[in-house]
Amino acid sequence: MGIKYRRVLLKLSGEALMGQLGYGVDPNVVQEISTEVAEVVGDGVQMAIVVGGGNIFRGLKAAAGGMDRATGDYIGMIATVMNALTLQDALERMGIPTRVQTAIAMQEVAEPYIRRRAIRHLEKGRVVIFGAGSGNPFFTTDTTAALRAAEIDAEVIFKATKVDGIYDADPHQNPNARRYESLTYGHVLAHDLRVMDSTAIALCKENNIPIMVFDLTERGNICRAVKGEPVGTIVGGFCEVR
């Protein structure tokens, strides 16, 4: 099938699940994402997912309004579990066995995060969705994605966004913004390109995990990404800036 990556971690923002809605989850978007995930899993790709919760609650924004930062982050972690369970339901309705593992104990609805169990699920062809972030406040779900990717020995992180890669300026505000084909970790950090937060980039650099940034809204991009096709921008240790 021309598959390049056999074990991948897909990072989804909560906003990606929102679609064109102002809040919550768009069932059509969840269905489209689940359909693509089901296709690549059917081809033998081992898929883990980290999902954010910004479509429901953003701890940083709440903290800016006066809420205790740690409390806001914990509420945001619970929001990610809601999204994880939504994705699990959509995938299992397609016949894809799925497990949700959370960094905060919620044994009635999900398994606790256990690294070796997560890897075993992947080996058995199950999709594993990591909820509740890292279980600690002050850490983003981007950092969680880098951490879990390192723990499960993922070959790549797919950072699925609403833009088709990394630009040297905001393409929505600057029509002359240039899209990069590839970047080094150092360039991303030095120029503060905000692909992921700096802690996540540093973790990926330390563990030599490439990051592929691409447009989630274009049908088939996940399938093309697992084949190594140039669907966006790749960040890695041996990439040239171009």
Side-chain angles (χ1 to χ4, degrees):
M1 299 297 295
I3 301 297
K4 179 177 181 179
Y5 303 109
R6 286 293 173 180
R7 180 177 293 174
V8 306
L9 187 139
L10 174 65
K11 171 60 173 66
L12 297 173
S13 67
E15 289 86 348
L17 304 183
M18 192 165 58
Q20 299 302 314
L21 303 178
Y23 177 84
V25 174
D26 185 336
N28 293 324
V29 171
V30 174
Q31 180 77 14
E32 290 171 4
I33 294 171
S34 300
T35 298
E36 286 209 55
V37 171
E39 288 177 8
V40 299
V41 171
D43 288 337
V45 176
Q46 298 176 12
M47 174 77 73
I49 301 173
V50 169
V51 61
N55 56 319
I56 299 171
F57 190 89
R58 297 190 66 87
L60 196 59
K61 184 176 180 180
M67 178 179 281
D68 176 73
R69 171 66 189 275
T71 299
D73 283 353
Y74 280 120
I75 296 171
M77 291 179 213
I78 294 169
T80 71
V81 178
M82 297 167 68
N83 285 335
L85 293 173
T86 300
L87 282 169
Q88 180 185 41
D89 176 75
L91 285 165
E92 293 199 331
R93 281 189 280 113
M94 295 181 179
I96 303 299
T98 307
R99 298 290 185 272
V100 173
Q101 292 194 343
T102 60
I104 298 174
M106 299 183 184
Q107 62 267 27
E108 286 81 9
V109 296
E111 297 179 357
Y113 171 66
I114 299 173
R115 173 182 172 270
R116 290 171 65 102
R117 182 179 290 177
I119 292 172
R120 186 60 174 156
H121 286 321
L122 292 171
E123 291 172 345
K124 286 180 172 288
R126 299 166 184 152
V127 173
V128 181
I129 306 173
F130 299 118
S134 67
N136 300 292
F138 305 102
F139 289 91
T140 68
T141 50
D142 280 347
T143 296
T144 301
L147 175 63
R148 295 290 183 253
E151 289 179 306
I152 66 171
D153 297 320
E155 298 172 78
V156 65
I157 294 175
F158 290 158
K159 170 80 171 178
T161 70
K162 293 183 178 180
V163 293
D164 60 346
I166 304 170
Y167 287 78
D168 59 0
D170 187 340
H172 298 297
Q173 298 180 6
N174 183 356
N176 297 316
R178 180 171 67 93
R179 182 171 70 87
Y180 295 104
E181 294 180 18
S182 61
L183 290 168
T184 63
Y185 303 113
H187 187 93
V188 171
L189 289 170
H191 292 81
D192 193 25
L193 293 180
R194 301 184 184 276
V195 181
M196 302 171 86
D197 65 81
S198 59
T199 304
I201 297 295
L203 266 172
C204 289
K205 180 180 180 181
E206 182 177 341
N207 293 280
N208 197 28
I209 304 170
I211 306 161
M212 187 178 293
V213 183
F214 60 86
D215 185 359
L216 179 67
T217 63
E218 185 173 337
R219 182 76 175 86
N221 265 357
I222 296 177
C223 297
R224 286 188 281 271
V226 298
K227 296 177 181 178
E229 296 181 16
V231 293
T233 304
I234 189 160
V235 179
F238 301 101
C239 294
E240 297 180 3
V241 177
R242 55 192 178 131

